[in-house]
Amino acid sequence: MLTTNRKHIRRPQVYGWGQLVIAIALCCQALFGLMTDDLDTRQWGTLTGSVLMVIGIIVIAVSQRTPGHRQT
């Protein structure tokens, strides 16, 4: 993604983990959606990919938030 198309990243390492999770989710969906003949395996595989996609989006959203300051 171009840097002009995204918000400012506060935690780049967390952003990278989010991108990695989304890449694994897309591979999971492609693997089970296109290459599996068994209907049950295809459904569970694509469902797993969808859950991973949502987790990756949440991780990327967390990486763009400013860290809170706790008062002791």
Side-chain angles (χ1 to χ4, degrees), residues 8-18 59-68:
H8 184 70
I9 303 300
R10 306 277 186 213
R11 292 174 256 171
Q13 189 172 11
V14 176
Y15 185 81
W17 280 107
V59 170
I60 286 177
V62 166
S63 73
Q64 294 176 347
R65 294 188 58 193
T66 57

PDB file of all heavy atoms in Angstrom, residues 8-18 59-68:
ATOM      1  N   HIS A   8      -1.281   7.447   9.345  1.00  0.00           N
ATOM      2  CA  HIS A   8       0.028   7.372   9.967  1.00  0.00           C
ATOM      3  C   HIS A   8       0.096   6.150  10.885  1.00  0.00           C
ATOM      4  O   HIS A   8      -0.780   5.949  11.714  1.00  0.00           O
ATOM      5  CB  HIS A   8       0.317   8.645  10.769  1.00  0.00           C
ATOM      6  CG  HIS A   8       1.681   8.659  11.359  1.00  0.00           C
ATOM      7  ND1 HIS A   8       2.813   8.786  10.594  1.00  0.00           N
ATOM      8  CD2 HIS A   8       2.104   8.546  12.635  1.00  0.00           C
ATOM      9  CE1 HIS A   8       3.874   8.754  11.380  1.00  0.00           C
ATOM     10  NE2 HIS A   8       3.475   8.600  12.626  1.00  0.00           N
ATOM     11  N   ILE A   9       1.128   5.362  10.714  1.00  0.00           N
ATOM     12  CA  ILE A   9       1.294   4.151  11.498  1.00  0.00           C
ATOM     13  C   ILE A   9       2.090   4.482  12.758  1.00  0.00           C
ATOM     14  O   ILE A   9       3.214   4.978  12.678  1.00  0.00           O
ATOM     15  CB  ILE A   9       2.023   3.056  10.690  1.00  0.00           C
ATOM     16  CG1 ILE A   9       1.279   2.760   9.404  1.00  0.00           C
ATOM     17  CG2 ILE A   9       2.214   1.804  11.508  1.00  0.00           C
ATOM     18  CD1 ILE A   9      -0.116   2.269   9.589  1.00  0.00           C
ATOM     19  N   ARG A  10       1.501   4.234  13.906  1.00  0.00           N
ATOM     20  CA  ARG A  10       2.176   4.510  15.179  1.00  0.00           C
ATOM     21  C   ARG A  10       3.089   3.369  15.595  1.00  0.00           C
ATOM     22  O   ARG A  10       4.102   3.576  16.223  1.00  0.00           O
ATOM     23  CB  ARG A  10       1.151   4.745  16.285  1.00  0.00           C
ATOM     24  CG  ARG A  10       0.150   5.806  15.961  1.00  0.00           C
ATOM     25  CD  ARG A  10       0.704   7.160  16.256  1.00  0.00           C
ATOM     26  NE  ARG A  10      -0.357   8.157  16.066  1.00  0.00           N
ATOM     27  CZ  ARG A  10      -0.124   9.363  15.643  1.00  0.00           C
ATOM     28  NH1 ARG A  10       1.092   9.751  15.391  1.00  0.00           N
ATOM     29  NH2 ARG A  10      -1.107  10.208  15.469  1.00  0.00           N
ATOM     30  N   ARG A  11       2.700   2.157  15.255  1.00  0.00           N
ATOM     31  CA  ARG A  11       3.482   0.966  15.616  1.00  0.00           C
ATOM     32  C   ARG A  11       3.697   0.108  14.366  1.00  0.00           C
ATOM     33  O   ARG A  11       2.872  -0.733  14.028  1.00  0.00           O
ATOM     34  CB  ARG A  11       2.749   0.186  16.690  1.00  0.00           C
ATOM     35  CG  ARG A  11       2.713   0.933  18.020  1.00  0.00           C
ATOM     36  CD  ARG A  11       1.880   0.217  19.012  1.00  0.00           C
ATOM     37  NE  ARG A  11       0.630   0.966  19.080  1.00  0.00           N
ATOM     38  CZ  ARG A  11      -0.430   0.569  19.714  1.00  0.00           C
ATOM     39  NH1 ARG A  11      -0.433  -0.570  20.318  1.00  0.00           N
ATOM     40  NH2 ARG A  11      -1.497   1.318  19.751  1.00  0.00           N
ATOM     41  N   PRO A  12       4.809   0.314  13.645  1.00  0.00           N
ATOM     42  CA  PRO A  12       5.012  -0.397  12.369  1.00  0.00           C
ATOM     43  C   PRO A  12       5.148  -1.909  12.514  1.00  0.00           C
ATOM     44  O   PRO A  12       4.766  -2.655  11.613  1.00  0.00           O
ATOM     45  CB  PRO A  12       6.297   0.206  11.800  1.00  0.00           C
ATOM     46  CG  PRO A  12       6.820   1.150  12.800  1.00  0.00           C
ATOM     47  CD  PRO A  12       5.842   1.285  13.899  1.00  0.00           C
ATOM     48  N   GLN A  13       5.664  -2.379  13.638  1.00  0.00           N
ATOM     49  CA  GLN A  13       5.818  -3.820  13.805  1.00  0.00           C
ATOM     50  C   GLN A  13       4.442  -4.498  13.921  1.00  0.00           C
ATOM     51  O   GLN A  13       4.215  -5.550  13.332  1.00  0.00           O
ATOM     52  CB  GLN A  13       6.657  -4.127  15.034  1.00  0.00           C
ATOM     53  CG  GLN A  13       7.033  -5.579  15.140  1.00  0.00           C
ATOM     54  CD  GLN A  13       8.025  -5.825  16.256  1.00  0.00           C
ATOM     55  OE1 GLN A  13       8.282  -4.958  17.076  1.00  0.00           O
ATOM     56  NE2 GLN A  13       8.586  -7.015  16.281  1.00  0.00           N
ATOM     57  N   VAL A  14       3.524  -3.880  14.627  1.00  0.00           N
ATOM     58  CA  VAL A  14       2.169  -4.417  14.747  1.00  0.00           C
ATOM     59  C   VAL A  14       1.463  -4.365  13.390  1.00  0.00           C
ATOM     60  O   VAL A  14       0.740  -5.296  13.017  1.00  0.00           O
ATOM     61  CB  VAL A  14       1.376  -3.633  15.813  1.00  0.00           C
ATOM     62  CG1 VAL A  14      -0.058  -4.099  15.894  1.00  0.00           C
ATOM     63  CG2 VAL A  14       2.043  -3.757  17.174  1.00  0.00           C
ATOM     64  N   TYR A  15       1.694  -3.297  12.627  1.00  0.00           N
ATOM     65  CA  TYR A  15       1.125  -3.172  11.287  1.00  0.00           C
ATOM     66  C   TYR A  15       1.616  -4.313  10.387  1.00  0.00           C
ATOM     67  O   TYR A  15       0.843  -4.891   9.627  1.00  0.00           O
ATOM     68  CB  TYR A  15       1.497  -1.822  10.693  1.00  0.00           C
ATOM     69  CG  TYR A  15       0.868  -1.532   9.355  1.00  0.00           C
ATOM     70  CD1 TYR A  15      -0.434  -1.068   9.272  1.00  0.00           C
ATOM     71  CD2 TYR A  15       1.574  -1.724   8.176  1.00  0.00           C
ATOM     72  CE1 TYR A  15      -1.021  -0.802   8.052  1.00  0.00           C
ATOM     73  CE2 TYR A  15       1.000  -1.463   6.954  1.00  0.00           C
ATOM     74  CZ  TYR A  15      -0.297  -1.005   6.890  1.00  0.00           C
ATOM     75  OH  TYR A  15      -0.875  -0.759   5.675  1.00  0.00           O
ATOM     76  N   GLY A  16       2.887  -4.633  10.496  1.00  0.00           N
ATOM     77  CA  GLY A  16       3.447  -5.739   9.713  1.00  0.00           C
ATOM     78  C   GLY A  16       2.832  -7.080  10.072  1.00  0.00           C
ATOM     79  O   GLY A  16       2.564  -7.908   9.196  1.00  0.00           O
ATOM     80  N   TRP A  17       2.591  -7.302  11.366  1.00  0.00           N
ATOM     81  CA  TRP A  17       1.929  -8.533  11.786  1.00  0.00           C
ATOM     82  C   TRP A  17       0.507  -8.595  11.229  1.00  0.00           C
ATOM     83  O   TRP A  17       0.036  -9.662  10.823  1.00  0.00           O
ATOM     84  CB  TRP A  17       1.912  -8.656  13.310  1.00  0.00           C
ATOM     85  CG  TRP A  17       3.202  -9.138  13.878  1.00  0.00           C
ATOM     86  CD1 TRP A  17       4.119  -8.403  14.566  1.00  0.00           C
ATOM     87  CD2 TRP A  17       3.738 -10.453  13.785  1.00  0.00           C
ATOM     88  NE1 TRP A  17       5.191  -9.178  14.902  1.00  0.00           N
ATOM     89  CE2 TRP A  17       4.979 -10.453  14.439  1.00  0.00           C
ATOM     90  CE3 TRP A  17       3.286 -11.630  13.209  1.00  0.00           C
ATOM     91  CZ2 TRP A  17       5.769 -11.589  14.534  1.00  0.00           C
ATOM     92  CZ3 TRP A  17       4.086 -12.759  13.308  1.00  0.00           C
ATOM     93  CH2 TRP A  17       5.304 -12.729  13.967  1.00  0.00           C
ATOM     94  N   GLY A  18      -0.176  -7.469  11.200  1.00  0.00           N
ATOM     95  CA  GLY A  18      -1.520  -7.435  10.630  1.00  0.00           C
ATOM     96  C   GLY A  18      -1.519  -7.767   9.144  1.00  0.00           C
ATOM     97  O   GLY A  18      -2.385  -8.500   8.662  1.00  0.00           O
ATOM     98  N   VAL A  59      -5.979  -5.875  13.893  1.00  0.00           N
ATOM     99  CA  VAL A  59      -4.579  -5.626  14.267  1.00  0.00           C
ATOM    100  C   VAL A  59      -4.046  -4.387  13.553  1.00  0.00           C
ATOM    101  O   VAL A  59      -3.345  -3.560  14.148  1.00  0.00           O
ATOM    102  CB  VAL A  59      -3.710  -6.865  13.973  1.00  0.00           C
ATOM    103  CG1 VAL A  59      -2.236  -6.566  14.114  1.00  0.00           C
ATOM    104  CG2 VAL A  59      -4.094  -8.009  14.894  1.00  0.00           C
ATOM    105  N   ILE A  60      -4.386  -4.210  12.285  1.00  0.00           N
ATOM    106  CA  ILE A  60      -3.949  -3.018  11.559  1.00  0.00           C
ATOM    107  C   ILE A  60      -4.590  -1.769  12.141  1.00  0.00           C
ATOM    108  O   ILE A  60      -3.939  -0.725  12.264  1.00  0.00           O
ATOM    109  CB  ILE A  60      -4.253  -3.173  10.051  1.00  0.00           C
ATOM    110  CG1 ILE A  60      -3.263  -4.154   9.435  1.00  0.00           C
ATOM    111  CG2 ILE A  60      -4.190  -1.837   9.327  1.00  0.00           C
ATOM    112  CD1 ILE A  60      -3.492  -4.452   7.980  1.00  0.00           C
ATOM    113  N   ALA A  61      -5.855  -1.854  12.528  1.00  0.00           N
ATOM    114  CA  ALA A  61      -6.513  -0.701  13.137  1.00  0.00           C
ATOM    115  C   ALA A  61      -5.858  -0.339  14.465  1.00  0.00           C
ATOM    116  O   ALA A  61      -5.704   0.844  14.789  1.00  0.00           O
ATOM    117  CB  ALA A  61      -7.998  -0.986  13.332  1.00  0.00           C
ATOM    118  N   VAL A  62      -5.458  -1.340  15.232  1.00  0.00           N
ATOM    119  CA  VAL A  62      -4.780  -1.086  16.507  1.00  0.00           C
ATOM    120  C   VAL A  62      -3.425  -0.430  16.268  1.00  0.00           C
ATOM    121  O   VAL A  62      -3.002   0.435  17.039  1.00  0.00           O
ATOM    122  CB  VAL A  62      -4.637  -2.404  17.301  1.00  0.00           C
ATOM    123  CG1 VAL A  62      -3.664  -2.264  18.459  1.00  0.00           C
ATOM    124  CG2 VAL A  62      -5.983  -2.861  17.805  1.00  0.00           C
ATOM    125  N   SER A  63      -2.748  -0.784  15.195  1.00  0.00           N
ATOM    126  CA  SER A  63      -1.420  -0.212  14.929  1.00  0.00           C
ATOM    127  C   SER A  63      -1.492   1.264  14.554  1.00  0.00           C
ATOM    128  O   SER A  63      -0.501   1.979  14.641  1.00  0.00           O
ATOM    129  CB  SER A  63      -0.717  -0.978  13.809  1.00  0.00           C
ATOM    130  OG  SER A  63      -1.294  -0.682  12.555  1.00  0.00           O
ATOM    131  N   GLN A  64      -2.667   1.741  14.154  1.00  0.00           N
ATOM    132  CA  GLN A  64      -2.812   3.134  13.764  1.00  0.00           C
ATOM    133  C   GLN A  64      -3.281   4.025  14.907  1.00  0.00           C
ATOM    134  O   GLN A  64      -3.292   5.238  14.766  1.00  0.00           O
ATOM    135  CB  GLN A  64      -3.790   3.244  12.592  1.00  0.00           C
ATOM    136  CG  GLN A  64      -3.265   2.591  11.351  1.00  0.00           C
ATOM    137  CD  GLN A  64      -4.260   2.599  10.221  1.00  0.00           C
ATOM    138  OE1 GLN A  64      -5.436   2.883  10.411  1.00  0.00           O
ATOM    139  NE2 GLN A  64      -3.796   2.270   9.030  1.00  0.00           N
ATOM    140  N   ARG A  65      -3.657   3.434  16.012  1.00  0.00           N
ATOM    141  CA  ARG A  65      -4.103   4.225  17.162  1.00  0.00           C
ATOM    142  C   ARG A  65      -2.906   4.705  17.965  1.00  0.00           C
ATOM    143  O   ARG A  65      -1.874   4.060  18.017  1.00  0.00           O
ATOM    144  CB  ARG A  65      -4.993   3.384  18.074  1.00  0.00           C
ATOM    145  CG  ARG A  65      -6.289   2.999  17.391  1.00  0.00           C
ATOM    146  CD  ARG A  65      -7.221   2.364  18.331  1.00  0.00           C
ATOM    147  NE  ARG A  65      -7.489   3.298  19.432  1.00  0.00           N
ATOM    148  CZ  ARG A  65      -8.081   2.948  20.552  1.00  0.00           C
ATOM    149  NH1 ARG A  65      -8.431   1.713  20.746  1.00  0.00           N
ATOM    150  NH2 ARG A  65      -8.308   3.843  21.493  1.00  0.00           N
ATOM    151  N   THR A  66      -3.081   5.826  18.619  1.00  0.00           N
ATOM    152  CA  THR A  66      -2.021   6.316  19.491  1.00  0.00           C
ATOM    153  C   THR A  66      -2.076   5.551  20.801  1.00  0.00           C
ATOM    154  O   THR A  66      -3.154   5.257  21.318  1.00  0.00           O
ATOM    155  CB  THR A  66      -2.200   7.823  19.775  1.00  0.00           C
ATOM    156  OG1 THR A  66      -3.480   8.023  20.352  1.00  0.00           O
ATOM    157  CG2 THR A  66      -2.074   8.626  18.509  1.00  0.00           C
ATOM    158  N   PRO A  67      -0.930   5.196  21.338  1.00  0.00           N
ATOM    159  CA  PRO A  67      -0.936   4.468  22.600  1.00  0.00           C
ATOM    160  C   PRO A  67      -1.428   5.352  23.742  1.00  0.00           C
ATOM    161  O   PRO A  67      -1.093   6.535  23.814  1.00  0.00           O
ATOM    162  CB  PRO A  67       0.516   4.043  22.791  1.00  0.00           C
ATOM    163  CG  PRO A  67       1.301   4.944  21.929  1.00  0.00           C
ATOM    164  CD  PRO A  67       0.403   5.388  20.822  1.00  0.00           C
ATOM    165  N   GLY A  68      -2.247   4.789  24.587  1.00  0.00           N
ATOM    166  CA  GLY A  68      -2.769   5.553  25.721  1.00  0.00           C
ATOM    167  C   GLY A  68      -1.727   5.695  26.821  1.00  0.00           C
ATOM    168  O   GLY A  68      -0.840   4.861  26.980  1.00  0.00           O
TER     169      GLY A  68
END
